[in-house]
Amino acid sequence: SLRQWWLKRMAESPRPLQEKLTLFWHDHFAVNYREANLSHLVYKQNQLFRVHAAENFGAMLHAIIQDPAMIRYLDNHRNNKGKGNENLGRELQELFSLGEMHSANHRPDGYSEEDVREASRALTGYTYDAATNQFMFLGSRHDSSNKTVLGKTGPWSGDDVVNIILAHPATARYIAGKLFEFFVHRHPDEATVQTLAYVLRSNEYELRPFLRNLFLSEQFYNPSSLASHIKSPAELLIGTIRMLGIEEVDYRQVDGAMQQMGMTLFEPPNVAGWEEGQTWISADLILTRYNHVANLVRRDKSDLCAVIEAAGCETTEQVVDHLIERLLTTGLSSERRQALIDYMGPMPPRDQWDAQRRTLNAKLREVVVLLLSTPDYQVS
């Protein structure tokens, strides 16, 4: 039910960027419902991501170490003075902020295993009240002695460690790179990442200036960036529903389709989230993707004739060209375009459309299915 609620919200929200960013943070701060085992906790976490979606990354990082779902998933409720658990302290650096590529395994000046242990000591006593599902700090379980994290020494708490991490230049580079990969493509050049990281740090991790710079950047509109991002199952199905204005959607079926395509919301495969990119496409998965998108379109009862009427189309060529422009990022080859024109056949005179509306809608729906069942529609 929780998955279906979120899918419906994604499809119908008047703030689609907020929901897409909520999906990004859900993947970035991955928690698996089956292991956290409480629907209310993951619902609250989902709302947390929505509130902070385009606000301030620093505030979100502070919030996530106090998030009951994350605390339970990474066993930080068992992280007590003299009986430590390093899960949250490790993922806070490795996955949530600095990135594994900035560890001592890859860089001589990277964070070390000692930094992980010390950060974990700082997070002792960060737990939650099982009766109310609220964050709770237990001073009696907290190690208040000095710790050294990323070269800074003091009697740090978990929130102190977050501040130390936010001051480290690798954090802005890592988050800037991940957001670029999510919205543009998976291979940003270093100069682009450094520029976006500067925007993020100079604005004290406010996300709106960062996103504005990203969406207006030359890289975002560069021809090499077009059709280079493989849509996740959520982007594919929710994008189709929104783009075509599909109504009366059965979100149980959408949820089932996404699971078949390898994406079960609230159940990422591990703490690193979904691998994304090429993993969404295989010989079996591509047919599954084609079929589920086709099913969405064929079940739709909306008036596609009204769409092409509003666009001022009259001839078959105009209809096909409008649908290509509306649905695809880079268009079709002349051969594929002509095949669609031939399949559609001649359009009747405009004054006969009302009398033939049912037949025209059926034909238009099949043309849309053919367009969406192409490799071109799998990317953005």
Side-chain angles (χ1 to χ4, degrees):
S1 295
L2 191 60
R3 288 197 299 268
Q4 293 162 32
W5 163 80
W6 191 13
L7 289 168
K8 189 175 193 299
R9 181 165 185 147
M10 287 184 197
E12 298 179 4
S13 172
R15 303 181 69 185
L17 178 59
Q18 183 185 48
E19 293 306 313
K20 190 161 185 176
L21 282 164
T22 301
L23 180 64
F24 171 81
W25 297 120
H26 171 56
D27 185 35
H28 181 76
F29 296 111
V31 166
N32 189 302
Y33 157 77
R34 292 190 182 278
E35 295 186 38
N37 205 31
L38 286 172
S39 299
H40 185 235
L41 290 188
V42 293
Y43 167 75
K44 283 181 63 179
Q45 187 188 69
N46 187 259
Q47 293 286 47
L48 169 71
F49 295 151
R50 188 167 291 106
V51 168
H52 290 288
E55 298 302 325
N56 187 282
F57 173 73
M60 183 150 35
L61 200 59
H62 277 286
I64 206 66
I65 64 169
Q66 298 184 15
D67 173 57
M70 184 63 72
I71 288 171
R72 184 182 176 99
Y73 180 54
L74 294 181
D75 294 320
N76 207 72
H77 55 302
R78 298 190 176 97
N79 183 21
N80 302 316
K81 180 179 180 179
K83 190 179 179 181
N85 183 295
E86 295 180 4
N87 288 351
L88 182 55
R90 179 175 302 281
E91 308 313 347
L92 175 61
Q93 296 173 75
E94 185 173 298
L95 294 175
F96 301 162
S97 61
L98 297 166
E100 204 276 332
M101 76 284 291
H102 292 112
S103 72
N105 294 332
H106 298 274
R107 303 167 61 96
D109 60 343
Y111 66 89
S112 64
E113 286 296 310
E114 186 64 19
D115 289 314
V116 169
R117 284 189 288 271
E118 295 287 270
S120 300
R121 287 175 56 219
L123 286 160
T124 50
Y126 278 56
T127 185
Y128 73 100
D129 181 1
T132 62
N133 291 330
Q134 298 294 321
F135 170 72
M136 181 167 60
F137 175 73
L138 294 179
S140 60
R141 299 183 185 179
H142 176 66
D143 185 342
S144 59
S145 62
N146 280 354
K147 305 103 181 166
T148 301
V149 180
L150 300 176
K152 308 290 185 182
T153 301
W156 309 133
S157 68
D159 287 278
D160 293 326
V161 169
V162 167
N163 288 332
I164 292 169
I165 286 170
L166 290 170
H168 197 287
T171 299
R173 290 201 299 272
Y174 179 62
I175 299 304
K178 282 203 71 172
L179 282 163
F180 183 95
E181 290 180 13
F182 181 73
F183 282 107
V184 191
H185 61 72
R186 291 173 64 81
H187 304 288
D189 62 74
E190 183 60 24
T192 298
V193 173
Q194 290 284 14
T195 299
L196 290 170
Y198 172 78
V199 173
L200 198 56
R201 286 198 73 192
S202 63
N203 286 281
E204 299 180 335
Y205 289 96
E206 289 293 332
L207 291 166
R208 290 175 188 271
F210 170 87
L211 292 168
R212 189 178 299 112
N213 273 268
L214 174 63
F215 296 147
L216 294 176
S217 69
E218 182 180 348
Q219 281 293 319
F220 191 77
Y221 292 96
N222 193 301
S224 64
S225 298
L226 297 178
S228 58
H229 171 82
I230 297 173
K231 297 174 184 175
S232 69
E235 291 170 315
L236 180 71
L237 294 178
I238 300 302
T240 300
I241 293 167
R242 292 188 68 97
M243 195 179 302
L244 294 174
I246 296 175
E247 300 175 352
E248 299 180 18
V249 178
D250 185 341
Y251 288 100
R252 290 173 301 176
Q253 293 182 344
V254 175
D255 178 31
M258 282 183 53
Q259 292 184 53
Q260 289 183 36
M261 290 187 278
M263 189 179 204
T264 304
L265 292 178
F266 299 108
E267 295 182 30
N270 52 56
V271 72
W274 290 280
E275 195 171 335
E276 304 279 354
Q278 194 64 42
T279 58
W280 297 131
I281 301 290
S282 68
D284 291 334
L285 284 175
I286 193 67
L287 292 175
T288 303
R289 289 165 70 100
Y290 288 168
N291 289 336
H292 284 304
V293 169
N295 288 340
L296 265 180
V297 175
R298 287 182 175 133
R299 292 193 192 103
D300 182 33
K301 300 296 189 291
S302 60
D303 188 358
L304 288 176
C305 274
V307 174
I308 62 171
E309 283 175 338
C313 300
E314 294 188 3
T315 68
T316 303
E317 288 80 4
Q318 290 173 338
V319 169
V320 168
D321 287 342
H322 173 71
L323 291 175
I324 290 172
E325 183 177 0
R326 185 185 184 93
L327 300 174
L328 302 183
T329 302
T330 57
L332 279 182
S333 66
S334 57
E335 292 81 5
R336 286 183 178 180
R337 174 182 177 272
Q338 189 58 50
L340 287 175
I341 291 170
D342 294 342
Y343 176 83
M344 182 78 191
M347 289 290 289
R350 180 65 186 79
D351 59 6
Q352 296 179 24
W353 283 19
D354 285 343
Q356 301 183 40
R357 210 167 194 84
R358 184 172 180 177
T359 302
L360 280 174
N361 267 320
K363 199 71 168 179
L364 286 167
R365 215 169 299 285
E366 288 307 308
V367 171
V368 169
V369 167
L370 289 172
L371 270 173
L372 304 191
S373 303
T374 61
D376 310 82
Y377 189 65
Q378 308 306 307
V379 293
S380 64

